[in-house]
Amino acid sequence: MTPASRKIYVAGHRGMVGSALVRALTAKGERDILAIDRSALDLTDQKATRDFLMTEKPDEIIVAAARVGGIEANRSFPAEFLHENLAIASNVIHGAFEAGVKRLLFLGSSCIYPREAPQPISEDALLTGPLEPTNEAYAIAKIAGLKLCQFYRRQHGVCFHSVMPTNLYGPGDNYHPERSHVIPGLIRRFHEAKQRGDSEVVIWGTGTPLREFLHVEDLAAACLRLIEVENPPDWVNAGSGGEVTISELAALIAEATGFEGEIRTDPSKPDGTPRKALDSGKMRALDWTPKIGLRDGLAETCAAYAREHAADRH
């Protein structure tokens, strides 16, 4: 099947990852990209999802739809995070099988791995120990989606497989003050502090946890590479290979936003997992390498946020 003749459904096309996927597919010359707004299709509704897939019958699906958020959102709404993400995974994966879809790529998260997994974390660390409590509900739903893909493939021969990205950032992120991930949350905080003329910004935790970050456009490139591989692994990690502490990250964002005040930590707030670096050797063996460095990616993302903020989008 030539790329021009296949119909690809991107679930969650308005999110940060989904919109990057649509941009990457369009740039590659894909002409039949199927997307539908959440207002028109609720993926937590099993019947509606099945009916949509049976009607449209896409050739391939990339599942980027999810309820996402940072530590505070995951800690405050674990029932919703588990229920909604489990429903999305189950409805889309089973619906795809019923509709005769031969290929599906499911996007998970590095939080599926045990809190104390050996670093960098390889794919075989899955289910070898307890999860990080602050995002356990989200992780369980993503593990279930990964396993659904693995078992449908094993039992029915469909090419349903998964990719587990590290922490993502880039254009189209969620900058909600309580529900965002660490990078968009810090970007908003430093940008607003600069505008107010604040003398300091306080960040959660000790500032010592190590984190790996990947620009969303590099993830999109990884996904497009994966859906071209004839016999991909059941799941692969996708990470940048670099790490920074949260304090170092805050300093980079302060620089990118032009904030010149003091950065203080608040050890009374949770740190989350002490370290979470991925072994992305399998993905790199498939001829993929991230292109966007963290400093350059943050500068671009901060500039985009400033433009959107000026336009009153946030």
Side-chain angles (χ1 to χ4, degrees), residues 53-74:
L53 294 173
M54 292 294 288
T55 299
E56 295 292 343
K57 292 193 176 296
D59 299 298
E60 300 179 13
I61 297 175
I62 305 178
V63 187
R67 176 168 182 159
V68 298
I71 290 177
E72 182 60 24
N74 276 270

Side-chain angles (χ1 to χ4, degrees), residues 14-265:
R14 291 199 178 278
M16 178 176 66
V17 176
S19 58
L21 285 165
V22 171
R23 290 193 299 271
L25 288 165
T26 302
K28 195 175 180 182
E30 298 287 356
R31 295 198 295 268
D32 199 356
I33 303 170
L34 179 61
I36 183 169
D37 287 346
R38 184 184 305 176
S39 59
L41 174 62
D42 178 2
L43 293 176
T44 66
D45 184 325
Q46 183 181 37
K47 183 180 184 303
T49 303
R50 180 185 184 277
D51 289 348
F52 168 76
L53 294 173
M54 292 294 288
T55 299
E56 295 292 343
K57 292 193 176 296
D59 299 298
E60 300 179 13
I61 297 175
I62 305 178
V63 187
R67 176 168 182 159
V68 298
I71 290 177
E72 182 60 24
N74 276 270
R75 191 172 65 169
S76 300
F77 306 105
E80 288 85 350
F81 270 80
L82 178 54
H83 167 71
E84 291 182 27
N85 287 300
L86 193 60
I88 290 169
S90 177
N91 293 344
V92 177
I93 293 167
H94 181 65
F97 172 71
E98 288 191 307
V101 176
K102 299 301 183 186
R103 184 148 200 157
L104 180 147
L105 177 64
F106 177 75
L107 273 75
S109 166
S110 59
C111 72
I112 66 167
Y113 295 115
R115 173 184 168 88
E116 303 295 339
Q119 306 282 329
I121 306 170
S122 64
E123 287 85 354
D124 59 10
L126 184 67
L127 298 177
T128 60
L131 299 166
E132 161 60 37
T134 57
N135 52 27
E136 181 182 17
Y138 183 76
I140 288 172
K142 289 300 183 180
I143 292 170
L146 178 157
K147 285 294 181 180
L148 275 171
C149 289
Q150 182 183 30
F151 294 146
Y152 273 95
R153 184 178 188 179
R154 180 187 302 174
Q155 184 174 338
H156 298 290
V158 291
C159 190
F160 290 7
H161 55 119
S162 304
V163 60
M164 300 297 124
T166 191
N167 303 286
L168 300 170
Y169 72 101
D173 212 336
N174 170 25
Y175 293 93
H176 190 280
E178 284 90 37
R179 300 173 191 168
S180 60
H181 286 110
V182 61
I183 284 183
L186 288 175
I187 288 174
R188 177 171 183 152
R189 198 176 309 170
F190 279 106
H191 178 85
E192 292 178 350
K194 181 192 175 187
Q195 287 196 319
R196 291 191 301 262
D198 293 351
S199 61
E200 67 176 24
V201 167
V202 179
I203 63 173
W204 272 36
T206 62
T208 60
L210 284 164
R211 290 292 181 269
E212 177 185 32
F213 295 98
L214 181 70
H215 195 281
V216 69
E217 291 181 6
D218 280 329
L219 174 64
C223 293
L224 266 58
R225 175 63 190 132
L226 277 171
I227 63 174
E228 300 300 336
V229 175
E230 183 175 349
N231 186 31
D234 281 337
W235 71 96
V236 294
N237 295 334
S240 65
E243 293 177 274
V244 293
T245 66
I246 296 299
S247 287
E248 290 168 337
L249 175 68
L252 286 171
I253 293 174
E255 175 187 312
T257 56
F259 176 77
E260 297 179 347
E262 182 184 359
I263 302 172
R264 290 199 306 107
T265 59

